[in-house]
Amino acid sequence: MKKRNLSIKIISRILIFCIGLGTIIFSIYYYYTRAAIQESTRENAVILAENTINQIEEVIEPAEKLPENLAWIIETGVIPKDSLQYFLAQLVKNNPAIYASAIAFEPHIFSENTPAYAPYAFRNGARINTIDLWSPDYNYFIMDWYQIPAILQQPYWSEPYYDEGGAEALLSTYSVPFFMSKEGQQVLGGIITIDISLDWLTEIVNSVKIFDTGYAFLLSRNGVYVTHPNHSQIMNESIFTQAKEMEQPEMREIGRNMIKGQSNLTSLNLKDKGKVWIYYAPIQSTKWSLGVVYPHNEMFESLQNLNIIILLLAFAGLGLLLFFTIKIINQQISPLAKFADSARTIAEGNFNTRLPNAGNSKEMKELHDSFEFMQKELDNYIVNLKETTSAKEKIESELRIAKEIQMGMIPRIFPPFPNLKEIDLFASLESAKEVGGDLYDFFLLDEEHLCFAIGDVSGKGIPASLFMAVTRTLLRSVADNKKSTAEIVGSINKTLSFNNESNMFVTFFLGILEITTGRLRFCNAGHNPPILIKNKTEANFFNITKGIPVGLFEDFNYSEEVVQIEAGDQLFLYTDGLTEAEDKNNKLFEDNHLLDIIRQYAESVPKEIIEKVTKEVSLHVNGHIQSDDLTMMSIIYYGTKK
Amino acid sequence: MEITSQKTDDGIIIFVKGRIDTTNYNEFENAVNDIFKDDVSQIYLDCSALNYISSSGLRVFLTIQKKMMGTGGKFKLFAMQPSIKEIFDISGFSSIFSIYADFETAKQN
């Protein structure tokens, strides 16, 4: 699961990055390509227009030469006047572009008695016919083709016109005035014309194609369409009428500039075609103007095709990138999943599980080494742990046995003397550790004497327990009814003090109770003074004596004291584990507290009293760890009456 | 527990603060053993800040006492809190140790 998440994470980031980068690169590329296309299209359009104009000029220029040469011939009188008709016919015949040609003389120029003469040669199918244009119905002097160049005294190209019933073609007439000398003066001799078919012009202009619908058109000096892809407009519409029809004032502006002979590249929003670009330039000789139009959108059509190809390639590239990235990542990450499995296996305790192949990446090898190191360390650790644990277990089991032995040394059967009606006795010992340094003991010296003792060895644990065992053994061996308690304690002290380098000591209380009389002899060697409960109501500590703990100074003189116990009195003995029992704030149980509790349960029998005090102590410590051994012993004297 | 010591003209004063119990009596014993490395004729133990002493601690006191007795020196305790004094009284140690009310009295005796 983790593995997949990681690879998805990496892949998605790479993908986002690539898409982002691709988009930026593509945008930049698109922007510059568009600009370049626009620029090159512009240049192409200009070049195309210029070429077309040149082509037109190439046809027009030689055509213009013909009437000019003719004018020179007539002016110089090289050709006899009677052969002019023939000459014209030959001229038309030899120039396929020329449909007809005329020489229209001013009155009385051809001859004194000729008011009007205009020989005219024209094509009639394959033949060339010649006629005189002049007739009463056709007064050529008032025709535009005659009048305008005559007045301007300059060559003049007529507006193109469709010659119906004659040439059945689009024609334009080029008129050139010629001059004669008459009475020493240069006067206008007449007008020479050639009618040129403009079909070639249409062909040239129509051959201009830009993109799908781009085209060229030619305007006459009045703005009339001379050529246009839409044939119905030729000679029928002008750019101005069209502008009005289409309600495109900008178009009129363009038309105006065109007939003024200007050239420019401009854009125009056509209502039907959208944005188009138009370049126009004049044809100087005829004062016509050529326009090249191409739609803006088509300019980028090739780019759009290219874009689709690029996008397809980009997607294919991304797909491939994705495929290989997934493959590589999975290949690189797959050891991780295997390592995870290994970690689990190791965690289950199989430290020697075989580690997966790390592959050849440095990081995986490091991981592999770390795993190997962990395995080895774990293995060592477990071996050590096992050794320590088994050693510890051994000690613990030894300690358990020691405890059993120690506990075996103190009497633990209650009531201890069921046949002895005069006394009842109960005792308890709780070690803070497995073995402890507290002890109690009681036994009958004879039928009338109960010997009992309680003691507390300094320190705790094994050393204390050994000392305790020695003390208890010594007690049993030296206790004798014939000796005083002080003598017995002194004897134990002597033995224990001998070679006691460690300065261990035992606080010790020894008592011998005469069952028949209630007389209690005792010797206290630095032990906590016991409590005497009198009349089941009053409870008080024994007086503190001068006795020091046994084991310290071998020559110390202990003293015996005697107290009379009455029937019903109870003797409560304890070690400092009771009065110094601490709660978690190190607050001690305290002597007075003990005394209060004893007084409260003064009527209870030994077992009850010890149980109550035990309960109070556990309430006081409230779960705090028991710091010292806790020993209690209580003896009630019923007396002989019972 | 904190132990500090200070030399005087005739010996050394040990100041013990806190408790001496089963968990730290070793520390106390080691500190005392360090002091014994030099010869000292008088050891004064300031008990004014000693709050509690267990039997393990008392054993160390006894060791000091015995050592000092062996070399003819003196081990003097002073300014003991009542609860500590009670422990000394109950155990009969009051009769073994020299206990004084304050340093001045300890020094004079």
Side-chain angles (χ1 to χ4, degrees), chain A residues 304-318:
Chain A
Q304 268 145 21
N305 290 338
L306 196 60
N307 285 348
I308 289 167
I309 291 168
I310 285 172
L311 279 178
L312 285 176
L313 281 174
F315 278 119
L318 271 180

Side-chain angles (χ1 to χ4, degrees), chain A residues 1-11 329-330 333:
Chain A
M1 204 62 184
K2 284 267 178 241
K3 181 186 117 194
R4 188 180 294 167
N5 283 346
L6 184 61
S7 56
I8 283 176
K9 226 173 183 173
I10 295 170
I11 291 160
I329 287 171
N330 283 345
I333 286 180

Side-chain angles (χ1 to χ4, degrees), chain B residues 60-71:
Chain B
V60 183
F61 275 35
L62 279 165
T63 310
I64 302 172
Q65 172 76 343
K66 282 193 170 176
K67 271 194 179 150
M68 292 308 283
M69 281 164 74
T71 58

Side-chain angles (χ1 to χ4, degrees), chain A residues 457-460 502-505 526-529 544-549 551-553 580 582 586 588 591, chain B residues 19 21-22 29 52-56 58-59 62-66 69 86-87 89-93 95-96:
Chain A
V457 181
S458 61
K460 282 194 282 285
S502 62
N503 286 325
M504 291 192 76
F505 59 84
H527 194 77
N528 297 63
I544 291 169
T545 62
K546 297 269 180 203
I548 63 165
L552 294 172
F553 301 99
E580 290 173 18
E582 292 178 333
N586 292 335
L588 304 182
D591 295 350
Chain B
R19 301 159 52 90
D21 56 26
T22 344
E29 193 164 18
Y52 175 78
I53 184 158
S54 76
S55 55
S56 309
L58 287 173
R59 193 181 62 73
L62 279 165
T63 310
I64 302 172
Q65 172 76 343
K66 282 193 170 176
M69 281 164 74
E86 195 187 342
I87 293 171
D89 288 343
I90 288 171
S91 59
F93 279 8
S95 61
I96 300 171

Side-chain angles (χ1 to χ4, degrees), chain A residues 57-189:
Chain A
E57 297 278 18
E58 268 169 30
V59 178
I60 286 171
E61 253 174 62
E64 281 180 340
K65 286 276 181 299
L66 288 173
E68 281 161 17
N69 290 342
L70 203 56
W72 179 78
I73 288 167
I74 292 166
E75 280 166 8
T76 52
V78 172
I79 298 169
K81 284 179 181 174
D82 54 357
S83 54
L84 276 177
Q85 276 198 3
Y86 174 76
F87 185 81
L88 274 179
Q90 287 303 309
L91 187 131
V92 172
K93 193 180 174 186
N94 295 333
N95 290 285
I98 295 173
Y99 176 74
S101 181
I103 306 168
F105 288 92
E106 280 277 281
H108 314 295
I109 291 294
F110 184 72
S111 64
E112 281 300 322
N113 50 2
T114 316
Y117 176 57
Y120 177 62
F122 66 94
R123 288 174 192 277
N124 183 8
R127 291 185 303 145
I128 312 289
N129 291 355
T130 52
I131 52 162
D132 182 2
L133 274 180
W134 167 256
S135 72
D137 299 329
Y138 190 78
N139 180 9
Y140 62 79
F141 296 114
I142 59 166
M143 293 295 163
D144 275 359
W145 62 263
Y146 190 93
Q147 238 182 345
I148 294 170
I151 291 163
L152 294 174
Q153 300 217 331
Q154 266 182 4
Y156 169 75
W157 278 94
S158 76
E159 280 288 290
Y161 57 94
Y162 197 78
D163 185 30
E164 270 177 76
E168 297 288 348
L170 186 68
L171 301 179
S172 182
T173 304
Y174 182 56
S175 313
V176 179
F178 63 93
F179 302 91
M180 304 289 284
S181 66
K182 195 175 176 187
E183 293 156 10
Q185 278 186 337
Q186 279 289 102
V187 296
L188 181 72

Side-chain angles (χ1 to χ4, degrees), chain A residues 117-335:
Chain A
Y117 176 57
Y120 177 62
F122 66 94
R123 288 174 192 277
N124 183 8
R127 291 185 303 145
I128 312 289
N129 291 355
T130 52
I131 52 162
D132 182 2
L133 274 180
W134 167 256
S135 72
D137 299 329
Y138 190 78
N139 180 9
Y140 62 79
F141 296 114
I142 59 166
M143 293 295 163
D144 275 359
W145 62 263
Y146 190 93
Q147 238 182 345
I148 294 170
I151 291 163
L152 294 174
Q153 300 217 331
Q154 266 182 4
Y156 169 75
W157 278 94
S158 76
E159 280 288 290
Y161 57 94
Y162 197 78
D163 185 30
E164 270 177 76
E168 297 288 348
L170 186 68
L171 301 179
S172 182
T173 304
Y174 182 56
S175 313
V176 179
F178 63 93
F179 302 91
M180 304 289 284
S181 66
K182 195 175 176 187
E183 293 156 10
Q185 278 186 337
Q186 279 289 102
V187 296
L188 181 72
I191 302 294
I192 300 168
T193 70
I194 48 167
D195 296 347
I196 291 183
S197 162
L198 296 183
D199 286 347
W200 56 272
L201 194 67
T202 314
E203 228 165 83
I204 289 171
V205 176
N206 282 354
S207 72
V208 172
K209 284 258 181 257
I210 302 177
F211 306 126
D212 284 346
T213 59
Y215 61 92
F217 65 90
L218 201 60
L219 283 190
S220 75
R221 74 180 74 190
N222 291 334
V224 175
Y225 287 114
V226 178
T227 74
H228 195 278
N230 184 355
H231 286 273
S232 66
Q233 294 192 348
I234 297 172
M235 301 313 295
N236 290 330
E237 292 240 34
S238 76
I239 193 166
F240 303 109
T241 56
Q242 205 188 8
K244 200 171 181 184
E245 259 172 44
M246 292 171 72
E247 294 169 1
Q248 301 253 208
E250 321 90 286
M251 206 161 144
R252 193 185 322 153
E253 189 56 38
I254 291 168
R256 216 169 273 152
N257 289 337
M258 283 178 85
I259 60 172
K260 273 186 206 160
Q262 292 175 354
S263 64
N264 192 17
L265 177 74
T266 182
S267 70
L268 177 65
N269 274 311
L270 288 179
K271 281 175 184 164
D272 52 348
K273 287 180 181 168
K275 189 178 179 183
V276 296
W277 288 89
I278 174 163
Y279 176 74
Y280 53 86
I283 297 165
Q284 294 299 346
S285 53
T286 58
K287 310 282 186 232
W288 299 336
S289 184
L290 181 79
V292 173
V293 177
Y294 57 94
H296 181 79
N297 286 338
E298 286 177 17
M299 192 160 41
F300 305 116
E301 245 166 36
S302 59
L303 184 61
Q304 268 145 21
N305 290 338
L306 196 60
N307 285 348
I308 289 167
I309 291 168
I310 285 172
L311 279 178
L312 285 176
L313 281 174
F315 278 119
L318 271 180
L320 278 175
L321 181 74
L322 208 62
F323 175 74
F324 283 110
T325 314
I326 289 170
K327 213 171 158 133
I328 290 166
I329 287 171
N330 283 345
Q331 203 176 358
Q332 294 296 318
I333 286 180
S334 67

